Amino acid sequence: MADLRTNFVGIKSPNPFWLASAPPTDKEYNVVRAFKAGWGGVVWKTLGEDPHVVNVNGPRYGAIHSGDRRLLGLNNIELITDRPLQTNLDEIKRVKREWSDRAMVVSLMVPCEETNWANILKRVEETDCDGVELNFGCPHGMSERGMGSAVGQVPEYIEMVARWCKANTRMPVIVKLTPNITDIRKPARAAKQGGADAVSLINTINSIMSINLDSFAPEPTIDGKGTHGGYCGPAVKPIALSMVSEIARDKETQGMPISGIGGITNWRDALEFILIGAGTAQVCTAAMTYGFKIVQEMTSGLEQWMDERGFSHLDELIGKAVPNVTDWQYLNLNYIAKAHIDQDKCIQCGRCYAACEDTSHQAISNAPKNGKRHFEVIDEECVACNLCVEVCPVESCITMVQMTKGTDPRTGRKIDKKYANWTTHPNNPAAKVAAE
Amino acid sequence: MGHPDIAGRRLSKDAYAKNFADLHPPLSAHEALVESDRCYFCYDAPCQQACPTSIDIPMFIRQIGAGNPLGAAETIFEQNILGGMCARVCPTETLCEEACVRETAEGKPVKIGLLQRYATDAQMRTGRQPFQRAPATGKSVAVVGAGPAGLACAHRLAMHGHDVTIFEARKKPGGLNEYGIAAYKSVDGFAQAEVDFVLGIGGITVERGKALGKQITLEGLRKEFDAVFLGMGLQGVNALNSKHEATDGVEDAVDYIAEIRQAKDLGKLKVGRNVLVIGGGMTAIDIAVQSKLLGAEDVTILYRRGAEQMKASGFEQQLAQTKGVKIKHWVSPRKVLAKDGKAIGLECEYTEEKKGKLGGTGETFRLKADMIFKAIGQTFVPDPMKDALVLDGGRIKVDASRRTSLPDVWAGGDCAAGGQDLTVAAVDDGCRAAESIHEFLSA
Ligand SMILES: Cc1cc2nc3c(=O)[nH]c(=O)nc-3n(C[C@H](O)[C@H](O)[C@H](O)COP(=O)(O)OP(=O)(O)OC[C@H]3O[C@@H](n4cnc5c(N)ncnc54)[C@H](O)[C@@H]3O)c2cc1C
Ligand SMILES: Cc1cc2nc3c(=O)[nH]c(=O)nc-3n(C[C@H](O)[C@H](O)[C@H](O)COP(=O)(O)O)c2cc1C
Ligand code: SF4
Ligand code: SF4
Ligand code: SF4
């Protein structure tokens, strides 16, 4: 049986599934329920200084749904904890004592002065928690007060605060990054420079969920007004994966432990984060949508997959996909593929035709065969863009088939088995001519 | 009314194959994903509460949705090792699917039974057991009857490390899964494949052709084993209380169904051209539908009360009707009409309920019949135990942990009092008894 035990910068947990700092980890009651359900660890809801902040008393969430009301994306305007600091610290200490095998990380956000950080770190250490996560991510409310993403968007601040924290505590320090920035590598490098042990990402993304057509106000609406919130849930996963991969493959941050967050809903999502470089997987929206029990599906799925594939430890998997992430310029331009429609599977809806004819390369024919609707790929036109594959409603009805010999009927060029990329392509004005 | 027309080969070979194919074909991978997507992962889910074996339905459906059918199967088998058969035979329309919140919302429940089949089939295809035996305890348990109750009990006991011997009167194990369930619900030898799957845990020996009351006695078992579980089902048949019951052409439905289930060549089975079925339960529906599928021209179920009182669910009644079976309510048989010792028809009387009491109206009519099936319920035959156990309403009295009046004897399934006479209920009984036996043996 696969072993899911995790050691992340010295923080041990029975499995890599942690609850992200958010309402699920807001207080003792929730966290105990979560541990009972099987979560490997939690990052406690972000603590701040007293007097504690207050939340709005109207809707703080908005969402987008599928037609069948499956929640695809969630947005929130909640702030950090709205309970007194000591209340939280007492609860953290109690829970950690009761559940010593689980990871207990405490998320923090205080104003940008060393004494503020030093003071809170001292008090947090007394809880015997396993580490701290610096919340440089919240994109709403707190950022207006010079905290959260307002810090996370300035690499110099990140480095400075990380350094203060490392100087003022023996605990591992994880820096939680905001995705509301153009180049995620910059804040990650800064965290490393500052001595942080790890980074976690992503926090939520700036978003307005919808505009109400009757009140002309953004949603969620409070007394006729709305504000942007933080976006999370399944819809943000691709953005988070990309950001994690950037940090995992950046020369300066390579090898720095990463805790992956963003849209993780089942074991597959978690494993994808692990493969792209994450040592643990944090979850918020999925738990908020379905309850704590989902962790059982995650552990079962990951164990089952590892057993089937013959992996016994997570260490064998962390970052396994990273070497396969590259820059566009290094993709093999000699790789030729063609779309292929499996006529036995095709239900003749014509979506591939509409997509290709109207918006791609006019590479699908629509000529009736034996008096029936019939769609077929024209190899002479197909550039293998994959659009038809993605719009076809039937799974694996259209597939991409690699051409390994002969001539590409579109270009008339012979298939070249040699790898060749843009850097040496004749159309590239900056192409380096191979030394004679 | 001439001579009875009872014959085999009423249909072409292909027609038999087509008629007795899977009633609900399995879901494809795509269908299973779409269906799993419909599940809301309800909290304290009503479907799970409605399942006699309390399978964690939202969890296994979520596992299917997450591309983990084997994990889903394990979730099912943890609670119900015969989850594969239950997926095929459970009247889900009165159990989990009736309770599903999407039944409440839209009248379209999540297809839990078919999803369960999808997952359990995936596990069965691997040929592996998801469970391992605990270290051997050195204790031994005798299980009488290899039906769903006995098999479930034996499996759970084996998991706990006890040595189990099953004594089964018939040649094949499986109980009614093998001999009773309608052929189109369990195709391709599934019952035996499932028995092999269950026994795959190890630590279970099956002694075939060993009947309690014949080759073995309860006293003997109690001496030889540390505990005994009785899962013998129902072996008796209710009498019709009508004249000429013993006439040729009047058959016991359960026996005839067993013949259908065991037939290598369905064409060899002789079926009447006009068939009457007396009864209102699942057995009545099953024999009526299967007679029709064997090529009977007219099949009519006669039931003494109305549609609502029938034990067969609305879905089952509809199934019979779509197969062309006629259901006549408020009639009761009076006399089998015979010619030369062979049944040729049935005299019936209309019934009515007056002040809660059922009685005949006095008005009678005659129906032509070449074959008449009795499906008016089975009874427990206590003879093999020779008064050793306290009965309750004609079946073995048990407490909540399925323990009988004897401290080292447990009972479950159809032979125990207070049950539902369903495969899934028998499995639950077997499991509960096993846990109680385990506790007893560990004390
Ligand atoms: C025709 C028919 C159709 C049915 N269809 C359905 C359905 O679609 N869905 C559903 O949920 N339920 C159905 N049922 C009910 C279901 O089959 C039973 O509730 C279930 O099989 C009971 O399991 P059991 O283990 O208690 O008994 P059984 O399945 O009857 O098994 C008892 C076993 O004990 C053996 N045995 C009996 N006496 C002795 C003895 N003295 N010594 C040793 N062994 C002995 C028998 O040979 C048999 O193998 C149907 C029943 C019938 C009759
Ligand atoms: C209601 C809500 C409150 C949150 N509060 C915090 C917080 O206090 N501190 C923090 O670091 N992140 C907070 N987050 C962000 C989450 O921890 C997480 O980074 C984000 O939701 C992405 O993960 P997900 O897609 O699994 O939800 C919050 C998210 C939500 C939905
Ligand atoms: S989720 Fe609970 S607290 Fe929130 S609005 Fe609904 S009922 Fe109120
Ligand atoms: S989109 Fe798919 S199913 Fe529809 S016509 Fe094209 S190949 Fe066929
Ligand atoms: S009641 Fe229906 S929707 Fe809810 S968990 Fe059960 S199957 Fe899913």
Side-chain angles (χ1 to χ4, degrees), chain B residues 1-79:
Chain B
M1 292 186 188
H3 283 286
D5 179 354
I6 302 180
R9 305 239 177 271
R10 290 187 184 274
L11 306 171
S12 72
K13 235 183 172 160
D14 290 350
Y16 285 112
K18 194 168 149 251
N19 285 356
F20 285 86
D22 234 331
L23 178 63
H24 301 287
L27 295 178
S28 69
H30 176 74
E31 286 171 316
L33 276 183
V34 172
E35 198 55 29
S36 71
D37 210 46
R38 294 187 64 231
C39 172
Y40 292 144
F41 200 70
C42 295
Y43 180 75
D44 208 356
C47 54
Q48 180 176 2
Q49 289 174 11
C51 171
T53 53
S54 307
I55 292 173
D56 192 339
I57 295 166
M59 182 58 71
F60 93 69
I61 295 181
R62 190 171 177 84
Q63 288 170 308
I64 291 176
N68 180 16
L70 297 184
E74 194 170 331
T75 301
I76 295 162
F77 289 135
E78 255 163 32
Q79 289 297 116

Side-chain angles (χ1 to χ4, degrees), chain A residues 19-25 43-47 60-61 74-81 107-109 133-140 142 176-177 200-205 230-237 240 260-265 282-288:
Chain A
L19 284 167
S21 174
T25 63
V43 182
W44 199 276
K45 173 76 183 171
T46 307
L47 308 185
R60 57 181 95 160
Y61 302 121
L74 181 73
N75 140 299
N76 82 91
I77 54 166
E78 180 179 279
L79 304 183
I80 62 173
T81 183
S107 169
L108 301 174
M109 185 194 287
E133 186 182 80
L134 316 185
N135 178 354
F136 295 151
C138 277
H140 48 269
M142 301 313 291
K176 183 165 179 179
L177 304 179
S200 57
L201 71 162
I202 60 172
N203 209 311
T204 54
I205 304 173
Y231 195 38
C232 49
V236 311
K237 188 186 101 179
I261 320 170
I264 297 173
T265 307
Q282 294 190 33
V283 176
C284 169
T285 303
M288 292 183 68

Side-chain angles (χ1 to χ4, degrees), chain B residues 287-309:
Chain B
I287 188 65
V289 170
Q290 289 176 107
S291 304
K292 191 81 195 160
L293 298 178
L294 281 173
E297 192 175 307
D298 279 304
V299 180
T300 307
I301 294 176
L302 306 171
Y303 180 55
R304 60 197 168 119
R305 293 175 189 272
E308 304 79 51
Q309 289 98 334

Side-chain angles (χ1 to χ4, degrees), chain A residues 172-329:
Chain A
V173 172
I174 304 166
V175 171
K176 183 165 179 179
L177 304 179
T178 176
N180 298 304
I181 188 160
T182 31
D183 187 350
I184 197 70
R185 293 171 303 179
K186 302 273 164 60
R189 288 172 189 160
K192 187 164 185 195
Q193 283 299 317
D197 300 276
V199 288
S200 57
L201 71 162
I202 60 172
N203 209 311
T204 54
I205 304 173
N206 280 341
S207 58
I208 284 179
M209 293 315 277
S210 52
I211 304 296
N212 189 292
L213 302 189
D214 297 316
S215 64
F216 304 116
E219 294 182 306
T221 317
I222 297 192
D223 195 22
K225 305 276 183 217
T227 184
H228 77 261
Y231 195 38
C232 49
V236 311
K237 188 186 101 179
I239 298 165
L241 278 177
S242 167
M243 291 186 161
V244 169
S245 80
E246 289 287 290
I247 296 171
R249 58 190 282 261
D250 180 46
K251 276 206 181 61
E252 286 182 44
T253 51
Q254 229 169 42
M256 179 164 59
I258 303 170
S259 185
I261 320 170
I264 297 173
T265 307
N266 60 34
W267 70 272
R268 284 173 162 265
D269 301 328
L271 177 57
E272 288 174 30
F273 273 89
I274 290 169
L275 291 171
I276 208 74
T280 59
Q282 294 190 33
V283 176
C284 169
T285 303
M288 292 183 68
T289 313
Y290 303 106
F292 290 148
K293 214 174 90 174
I294 55 165
V295 72
Q296 291 155 26
E297 174 273 310
M298 294 182 178
T299 44
S300 147
L302 187 53
E303 270 171 7
Q304 189 78 42
W305 183 87
M306 287 174 68
D307 287 347
E308 270 168 39
R309 304 298 171 98
F311 293 106
S312 49
H313 287 97
L314 286 175
D315 294 344
E316 300 160 43
L317 297 168
I318 297 170
K320 207 174 164 55
V322 176
N324 294 327
V325 186
T326 185
D327 295 341
W328 193 100
Q329 59 181 333

Side-chain angles (χ1 to χ4, degrees), chain B residues 356-433:
Chain B
K357 267 197 81 176
L358 189 73
T361 62
E363 190 185 342
T364 62
F365 60 96
R366 289 173 164 215
L367 290 173
K368 201 167 135 183
D370 303 304
M371 245 176 158
I372 300 170
F373 285 111
K374 292 181 294 175
I376 48 174
Q378 294 170 273
T379 54
F380 175 60
V381 184
D383 306 356
M385 274 116 38
K386 293 215 190 90
D387 301 331
L389 295 171
V390 177
L391 301 187
D392 174 5
R395 303 198 193 180
I396 303 171
K397 188 175 171 167
V398 290
D399 65 12
S401 60
R402 310 302 187 257
R403 203 180 207 152
T404 68
S405 52
L406 291 173
D408 56 343
V409 180
W410 281 255
D414 289 356
C415 69
Q420 285 177 281
D421 291 353
L422 292 174
T423 308
V424 64
V427 172
D428 185 49
D429 283 355
C431 253
R432 277 174 202 266

Side-chain angles (χ1 to χ4, degrees), chain B residues 44 49 90 93 114 121 152 158 188 191 213 217 233-234 240 253-254 290 297 305 312 319 342 345 367 390 392 420 431:
Chain B
D44 208 356
Q49 289 174 11
C90 272
E93 64 280 3
L114 281 169
D121 278 358
D188 299 331
T217 64
L234 306 174
L240 203 51
V254 176
Q290 289 176 107
E297 192 175 307
R305 293 175 189 272
L319 172 74
K342 293 188 172 112
L367 290 173
V390 177
D392 174 5
Q420 285 177 281
C431 253

Side-chain angles (χ1 to χ4, degrees), chain B residues 271-290:
Chain B
V271 70
R273 183 169 180 161
N274 294 291
V275 173
L276 296 179
V277 175
I278 303 164
M282 221 179 253
T283 308
I285 299 283
D286 285 0
I287 188 65
V289 170
Q290 289 176 107

